[in-house]
Each structure stands twice: as structure tokens, then as C-alpha cells.
Amino acid sequence: MINSALSKNIDNQLLSNQLEEILNLQKDNVLKDLFLQKSFNQFNKRYKDFREKYKDAKWSIQQLRNDQNQSLLDITIISTREINGQIYNLHTKQTVQIETYKNKIKGYKVIDEESILNSQKSPLIIKIVSPKKVLTGEKYEINLIIENPLDNSLTASGMIVLSNEDNINISNDTFGIKPNQSGGLFKYIQAPLEPGSQTISAIITHPEGIYSITKKIKVGL
């Protein structure tokens, strides 16, 4: 039993290494070999949408926990994108739980995620302070702290709650953000009454650039 579990853990480690290599080399023709069909269909749709926007993405995948049939992965994605002649930098960190069967990915779930998209010439340096997990119905605070306070040319900001897990449809309920005395922006958010997750998006604009963040908060009992 011990040898079997050890072998399975090694298989999972090799699987995550293969996934990182294939994504970085963009070997789309062999990517499906790492998945069972149903989970590949789910992954491939999102992956294709992502690749259309970010063609030069670099992936780093590290194991945080490795059980016999499940692994917890720490994933970092760095890329750039051109929008209306402006170049933007993307930096995404995810914690992903994968379920495996016969050394293939049977299912996966994004546990935690934080994405930052900012224009290359933006002078904004912002620290995100927020909980990773909140209780159902809890009112919690998200802070975007500007580490090097700028002049009064900060022009606009806003925060919204994304309306579904796919981050496709954005709700029309815009949350106003107030200036923080320490140099930043903050907002109180109401957690949903059902366990799961809540995804928050915020944007700060400056004459010299834009800073946008998306943060996934786990909601539990």
C-alpha cells in the first residue's frame, strides 16, 4: 500500500511537470493526452479563450500538496497583451485542486485566484489586502493600497462583483470605492449566503496607465 501511494504521488508530480512543459511550449496537440475527455473539454474552452488574448504566456506549476488521487497546484501565469495600441502586463496566481485517475486529470477546481493587469508605463504600484476566505453572509473589506502615493491626477476607480464562476457576465451593480487615508482604495463587500466563492474586480485609472485586479474569495460556513 505504501509503495502504491508513493508511486501515485510520483505520477502526479510527473503529470504537473508535463502540464507545465506542454503549456509553455504550446503543444496543443498533446495537451488532451493529460486529461480525461470531459475535463479536457472544460479546460480547453477556457484555455483557447485565454490563448486568443495572451499569446506569449509563461506558466509555472508547483505542487503544494500531493495525495494519492488529488494534488494541490500553485500556478503562476505571466504574459502581455495589446489593447488599442497599449501594451498590458498580466500576472496571475492560482491555487488549483486537480483530481486524477490513471495518471490523467479527471477534474479540477480553482480554489484561489488573483490576477493583475496593468499597462506597462503605469506608475501605479498597488498592494492588495483581502481575506482568502470569509463566512457566508459576512461583510468583509478589500483594500488596494497605493504603495507610492501619487499626485491628485488619480482620475477614476470602481469595484464590481462578477456574477458567475466563469467571469463572463459582469453585473451592473458597481461598488463605489472611497480614498483610503493611507493612500489607496477600499470597499466593504457582502459575502453570498451560500458557500462557494465570490469574485471581485477593481480598476484604477491614471493619466499614465491603468491597473486592474481580479480576486477570488472563498466563501464557507
Side-chain angles (χ1 to χ4, degrees):
M1 177 64 73
I2 294 177
N3 289 338
S4 175
L6 178 60
S7 175
K8 188 64 179 178
N9 289 344
I10 292 174
D11 286 343
N12 286 347
Q13 178 67 61
L14 290 173
L15 181 63
S16 64
N17 291 344
Q18 287 177 311
L19 182 60
E20 179 185 88
E21 179 182 2
I22 289 171
L23 291 172
N24 280 321
L25 295 178
Q26 298 183 5
K27 294 182 178 180
D28 297 350
N29 58 321
V30 297
L31 182 60
K32 64 181 180 180
D33 295 337
L34 300 185
F35 292 79
L36 296 181
Q37 187 62 49
K38 184 177 180 180
S39 60
F40 176 71
N41 292 341
Q42 177 190 6
F43 174 83
N44 196 42
K45 181 182 182 302
R46 297 184 180 184
Y47 177 61
K48 283 184 174 179
D49 291 342
F50 176 80
R51 277 282 305 277
E52 287 182 3
K53 298 174 183 177
Y54 302 97
K55 303 182 186 304
D56 63 346
K58 302 300 179 185
W59 299 70
S60 173
I61 302 177
Q62 303 292 329
Q63 283 198 337
L64 298 176
R65 191 181 72 227
N66 191 0
D67 298 328
Q68 187 170 358
N69 294 310
Q70 285 188 345
S71 292
L72 204 60
L73 305 180
D74 179 57
I75 299 177
T76 300
I77 310 168
I78 298 174
S79 188
T80 59
R81 179 185 179 188
E82 182 176 345
I83 305 174
N84 298 326
Q86 176 74 271
I87 302 298
Y88 291 84
N89 295 325
L90 173 74
H91 189 278
T92 296
K93 287 185 66 67
Q94 296 179 331
T95 302
V96 178
Q97 178 180 295
I98 64 169
E99 183 181 359
T100 57
Y101 177 75
K102 293 185 177 180
N103 203 29
K104 290 182 182 286
I105 298 173
K106 179 181 178 181
Y108 70 92
K109 181 180 181 181
V110 178
I111 304 298
D112 182 71
E113 181 176 18
E114 179 179 297
S115 292
I116 298 172
L117 183 68
N118 66 293
S119 48
Q120 284 188 336
K121 296 182 179 180
S122 173
L124 297 173
I125 301 175
I126 298 176
K127 180 181 180 182
I128 305 165
V129 180
S130 67
K132 288 188 175 182
K133 181 179 179 179
V134 296
L135 298 175
T136 54
E138 180 181 351
K139 193 174 184 180
Y140 61 95
E141 184 177 345
I142 291 184
N143 283 274
L144 276 65
I145 300 172
I146 302 176
E147 295 192 339
N148 296 318
L150 303 171
D151 53 28
N152 293 326
S153 59
L154 189 66
T155 57
S157 60
M159 185 178 289
I160 55 177
V161 177
L162 300 183
S163 62
N164 59 33
E165 290 293 327
D166 294 326
N167 299 346
I168 295 174
N169 299 318
I170 297 177
S171 69
N172 293 323
D173 300 325
T174 303
F175 290 75
I177 305 177
K178 299 178 181 179
N180 190 318
Q181 290 182 353
S182 62
L185 305 167
F186 74 92
K187 180 61 187 179
Y188 285 104
I189 304 293
Q190 185 79 40
L193 299 178
E194 297 293 331
S197 64
Q198 186 172 44
T199 303
I200 312 300
S201 182
I203 187 169
I204 302 173
T205 67
H206 183 272
E208 298 182 32
I210 294 174
Y211 187 101
S212 172
I213 72 106
T214 301
K215 177 73 176 179
K216 189 170 188 177
I217 309 292
K218 187 175 181 180
V219 180
L221 296 174

